[in-house]
Structure formats: structure tokens, C-alpha cells
Amino acid sequence: MSETIAVAVDELLERRTKHHEADVVVVGAGVFGCAVAHALADQGRSVILLERWLKEPNRIVGELMQPGGVNSLRKLGLGHCIEGIDSIPCHGFDVFYYGEDICMPYPRIQGLLGVPDEKIVSGSKKAEEAPRPQGRSFHHGRFITQLRKACLKHPNISVFETEAVSTIKGDYNPEILGVETRTTSADTGKKMTDFFFGQLTIVADGYASKFRKQYIAQAPVVRSKFYALELLDCAMPSPGYGHVVIGAASPVLLYQIGSRETRVLVDVPEKLPEASVANGGVRGYMANVVLPALPASVQPSFKAALERDSRIPPSMPNSWLPPTKQSVPGLVILGDAMNMRHPLTGGGMTVALNDVVILRDLLSPSLIPDLGDTAAVGRAMHTFHWRRKRLTAIINVLAMALYALFAARSAELAKLQRGCFAYFKKGMTHAPMGLLGGIIPDPMVLAYHFFSVAFLAIWLDWKASGLWKGPFLLWNAFWVLWTASRVFLPVMYRELLV
């Protein structure tokens, strides 16, 4: 029996390496691409994984994984990929609001970490002693390298360094048969045309996808960029926590990515006056506006990082791209190529890995023996589109809503921002942190807490203005509630109901 299996594996390997044929062709060996290739290969599928550049990547996002993402990574059998890379446990977030802060740990969730629900009663001593979930932060490139090593070791995966340039269609129907690529010859250095064929092609080529325009009508919305610095030996106010600083013109995110290194991401909206050329550009904004707003213990290492390099810091666009239903036979576009949110809350990898878990289950050989059955795959992708929303809608809406509040580009948003921090100060952090961490998949809980913040913001505004100004207060309350609805409801509708 074992000899028969070995022969079959060898035959599939030969088909992948010589004929470039497999059950699945995955374009892009990033977080989603590696994870889905490994998950499908674990089910016995023959997988080709294509990546244009297999050297360790150097990116400034994809470095903070929420607890929900860590749980999904372990479900996929890839938990070892965040070990041995100097990754840092993340226990929650410390939010600074104009010098005042509140430290918010991730909540204990019954049964989340393998402890049966019946053994922990909420409010009991055991519930209080149960381990809290953890996120992880790390150098993005080190994590990707570990994922790629796992794929390279898998007997059902063949990895090729080649650049996918277009899809291959059938002559008589719209079904996608695979991709055309350009492979650089090791002998001549010239790019040679190549072809890879699969019953199913999964495109996961990231935020700058070259296939998105062809198959997805929606374009990403970009209103700001994250500019990055790497701090050395930074004294973080709350070690083991991510930090969000509200006090500059736009929010600043900090988290440790190694024993000595701390990542700082400075959000710079488009046409920000404080970052204009007249004010010294992005570097001037960082030195004159961001630096004074940071916690005192962080300022020396932030200043040193600015002085260490006189160039404009590396940047990444902060995009929102709502999800799209998949309808092209033989092709699915997933990962950041299909769905993005503002990275302020660090939810991207949690969404990607949760998607892989759902997709793996829906494409199981017990349900779809032949991935060439495009009708069955189409039904599975329809289910996938709706099933993923219970978690991903929360993460995406929360990211966009919190960014709108923390950036606060209007008086009403500033009132909501103040209400949000006051809400946290009142101890209302259990559910919000569970939502942020990807461990409470309930959109109604998000709606409840968001509008609770709005009503608290109205009450604080009334107290500050004087309760005797009746009609004026009602008018202000209307505009605060209207602003909250405009921030929350359109994104919630697009993410949850379409």
C-alpha cells in the first residue's frame, strides 16, 4: 500500500516538474498563497506554487498577527512558522490619547485555547485563571520564509520562481486553465515564456495584483499611507502590547517585531497640510508633529531612527477593497488581491488565514473529489463568500471605523474619538478587544459597541457644552449620530450584506 502511494506521489511530482500540471496552481507565495497551497496539499491535492521572487521579502506591514490569526495558523498545521524567528507575544493594545493611556488585554474566551467550555464557568476562579489568547509580531520576511520552507518540504507541492503575467483560457469556453509566466533563465538571464496548468487556479498576488483589474470591477480606495521606521532598543510603555497613539494629525501604530526592533507606522493622509513640502514633507511631519505626541520613553529611539537615515521612510498604501463574489470558472482571486482593509488594527493576516481554513473545508476531496468540476467549485465559492463574513466583516469594518475615529478629520469625528477613549476608560474593553483580536465573530456585538460609543460621545458633548443649551445640544447630537452612521453603516453594508 505504501509503495503504491509513493509511486502516485512520484508520478504527480513528475507531472508538476516536467509538464507543469497539477490539481491547483497558486499564484503568489505570500501569507495566503503559502497557507492555501499547504492546506490543499495536506488533503492530497497536487499543488504548484508560483512566486516571482523567492528571496526573503522586506515589507513594513504583515508583521502583527492577532490571536484569531494565530489560532487559524495552528489549525492549518503551520503554527511552527511563528516559532524560532524572534517573534514577540502580543497580549493586547495600549491606547494613548493626548498623553493619557489605557492598557487593554485580549479577553479570555471559553474554549478558545483548547480548554472545554464546560470546564470554565464565566466569572469563576477557573475562568479568571484560564490563559489569555496571544497575538504575535515579527519581521514579515522571516515569517514568509518559514511558510515557504514548509511548502518546499511538502511532497505534494512544487514551488517555481517565475512571474505570472496572464491567465490561460480554453478555446471554446470561458474556463481558466492555468497561467502564462515569464521565467528567468539561469544560463542566459533572459526571460522565457512558460505555462502552468491546473484544474483550479488561485490568484493571491497581493495588494498590487496584476489580475484584479481583469476580473474584479471594484478598485481599492486609498486615502492614506503608512510610513515606517524601525526603532532599536525602544523602551515601550507597555512591553508585550501593541501601542496606538492619538495626538498627532493621524494615528501612529507601534509594536515590537524582534528582541531589539520596534516597528513604528505613521499614518499620513493624502494632502495632509502638516506633511506638505512647505512643512518639511513626511520627515518634517514626523519630527515636528509625531515626535512630540509620542510617549516620552519612545521619543529618543524615534528621534534616533529619523537621524539614522535622511531618506523618506518606506511606505505602503492603506487600502479598502470590499470582497467580491467569485464567478469565473477555474479561477478564484483571494487574499489582498480580493479584499483589503486599513492595517491600523493588524487584521489582514487573520482574515487571510481564516479564509484558508474555510476554503480548505469547502474544497475538501470528500465534498469535491474533482476540482475540474467547475459547478461544484462555484457552489463552494458562493458558500465561501457568505461564510467568511461572520469574522472578516467584523475585522474589516472595525479597521475602517476605528481609523475614521482615530484620524478625526472633523469636529464630529473628534467627539466620537473622545467618546471612544472614554468608553475604554470605563472598562468596556472585553468585547472590543475580542472583536479586534478576531476571537468574537459576531457583527451585532460590533454594532452594539460602536453605537454605544456614539451615545457616550453625545453625552460627553452635552456635559461639556452645558445641559441648559437644549436645542443646540439636540442639533449636535443629531450630527454626531449622523456622522457615526455614515462611518459605520456603508462599510458594514458592503462588507456584510453584499
Side-chain angles (χ1 to χ4, degrees):
M1 183 68 175
S2 59
E3 290 181 4
T4 303
I5 294 174
V7 170
V9 169
D10 289 342
E11 288 177 352
L12 291 173
L13 175 62
E14 184 178 6
R15 293 194 68 82
R16 293 195 301 270
T17 54
K18 285 190 177 182
H19 307 292
H20 294 177
E21 294 178 355
D23 295 327
V24 185
V25 173
V26 179
V27 178
V31 175
F32 186 94
C34 287
V36 77
H38 197 275
L40 296 180
D42 272 350
Q43 295 178 329
R45 307 285 193 186
S46 177
V47 180
I48 288 173
L49 177 60
L50 308 178
E51 171 57 40
R52 68 180 181 86
W53 199 56
L54 284 172
K55 294 182 176 64
E56 183 169 294
N58 182 22
R59 288 185 62 189
I60 63 169
V61 294
E63 299 172 315
L64 175 61
M65 185 183 293
Q66 297 285 7
V70 174
N71 289 340
S72 292
L73 193 70
R74 288 173 177 155
K75 287 179 183 178
L76 294 168
L78 293 168
H80 63 279
C81 292
I82 53 174
E83 307 298 341
I85 58 172
D86 195 24
S87 65
I88 305 298
C90 181
H91 305 286
F93 275 81
D94 193 354
V95 178
F96 282 77
Y97 179 75
Y98 294 94
E100 191 177 2
D101 78 303
I102 177 74
C103 200
M104 304 182 293
Y106 297 118
R108 296 180 174 93
I109 304 294
Q110 294 180 12
L112 181 69
L113 300 179
V115 181
D117 291 354
E118 63 268 17
K119 293 186 179 180
I120 299 179
V121 179
S122 181
S124 69
K125 187 175 180 181
K126 281 188 177 181
E128 294 173 0
E129 293 175 353
R132 288 186 184 275
Q134 289 183 359
R136 286 292 185 96
S137 51
F138 38 71
H139 287 271
H140 174 82
R142 294 176 188 173
F143 175 54
I144 294 298
T145 297
Q146 292 296 97
L147 288 175
R148 290 175 179 174
K149 284 181 179 178
C151 290
L152 285 164
K153 290 178 182 177
H154 203 294
N156 292 334
I157 302 175
S158 294
V159 182
F160 296 85
E161 188 171 42
T162 185
E163 182 180 6
V165 294
S166 64
T167 53
I168 303 169
K169 293 182 181 179
D171 293 332
Y172 305 105
N173 58 56
E175 183 178 347
I176 301 302
L177 305 178
V179 291
E180 179 181 338
T181 73
R182 299 289 182 270
T183 304
T184 302
S185 170
D187 298 325
T188 65
K190 293 182 179 180
K191 291 190 175 182
M192 311 294 290
T193 300
D194 217 336
F195 302 92
F196 294 85
F197 299 93
Q199 293 177 319
L200 177 65
T201 299
I202 299 176
V203 171
D205 58 342
Y207 77 97
S209 172
K210 65 173 57 180
F211 294 92
R212 184 190 297 123
K213 280 186 180 180
Q214 187 176 354
Y215 295 104
I216 295 179
Q218 183 104 11
V221 176
V222 180
R223 295 196 177 97
S224 71
K225 288 183 178 180
F226 260 152
Y227 287 83
L229 292 177
E230 188 174 301
L231 311 187
L232 293 177
D233 301 319
C234 177
M236 297 286 275
S238 299
Y241 281 73
H243 293 63
V244 178
V245 179
I246 304 168
S250 208
V252 180
L253 178 61
L254 304 93
Y255 48 87
Q256 204 171 342
I257 56 174
S259 300
R260 297 188 60 204
E261 304 88 10
T262 295
R263 173 69 70 208
V264 177
L265 297 173
V266 177
D267 184 81
V268 181
E270 292 179 340
K271 300 179 181 178
L272 181 70
E274 293 90 337
S276 65
V277 175
N279 288 317
V282 171
R283 287 181 58 84
Y285 171 64
M286 287 183 167
N288 302 324
V289 180
V290 175
L291 178 60
L294 295 174
S297 65
V298 174
Q299 291 183 16
S301 54
F302 186 90
K303 185 178 180 182
L306 269 179
E307 294 172 347
R308 195 163 54 240
D309 191 342
S310 61
R311 295 173 297 179
I312 297 174
S315 67
M316 289 281 286
N318 297 326
S319 307
W320 177 47
L321 178 65
T324 301
K325 292 178 181 177
Q326 306 289 302
S327 59
V328 180
L331 174 74
V332 290
I333 299 178
L334 297 168
D336 281 353
M338 185 272 289
N339 186 206
M340 291 184 282
R341 77 292 311 149
H342 196 287
L344 176 67
T345 56
M349 288 188 288
T350 299
V351 168
L353 295 169
N354 179 70
D355 281 354
V356 173
V357 171
I358 295 173
L359 190 66
R360 174 198 65 181
D361 295 343
L362 290 173
L363 297 182
S364 168
S366 63
L367 299 176
I368 306 178
D370 180 10
L371 291 176
D373 184 348
T374 57
V377 172
R379 290 191 295 270
M381 294 311 301
H382 177 81
T383 303
F384 170 82
H385 177 79
W386 294 106
R387 186 176 295 179
R388 69 189 293 271
K389 288 179 179 290
R390 183 169 174 83
L391 176 67
T392 58
I394 291 171
I395 292 173
N396 295 344
V397 173
L398 187 60
M400 302 308 297
L402 281 181
Y403 174 69
L405 266 60
F406 289 177
R409 308 304 293 173
S410 71
E412 287 75 23
L413 284 170
K415 292 173 183 178
L416 286 166
Q417 182 189 89
R418 179 176 62 177
C420 185
F421 188 74
Y423 195 71
F424 295 154
K425 281 189 69 178
K426 288 180 175 293
M428 303 300 291
T429 64
H430 182 281
M433 287 304 296
L435 295 165
L436 180 73
I439 50 180
I440 298 182
D442 191 339
M444 291 303 103
V445 173
L446 174 59
Y448 169 81
H449 286 280
F450 186 84
F451 283 101
S452 295
V453 165
F455 284 109
L456 178 58
I458 290 170
W459 172 245
L460 292 174
D461 184 49
W462 285 8
K463 287 179 67 177
S465 302
L467 295 176
W468 55 273
K469 298 180 181 179
F472 175 74
L473 294 180
L474 289 174
W475 179 251
N476 280 356
F478 168 78
W479 279 111
V480 170
L481 196 57
W482 173 256
T483 301
S485 299
R486 286 189 62 189
V487 166
F488 185 83
L489 294 179
V491 181
M492 176 65 105
Y493 170 77
R494 186 64 185 81
E495 290 282 351
L496 187 63
L497 301 176
V498 175

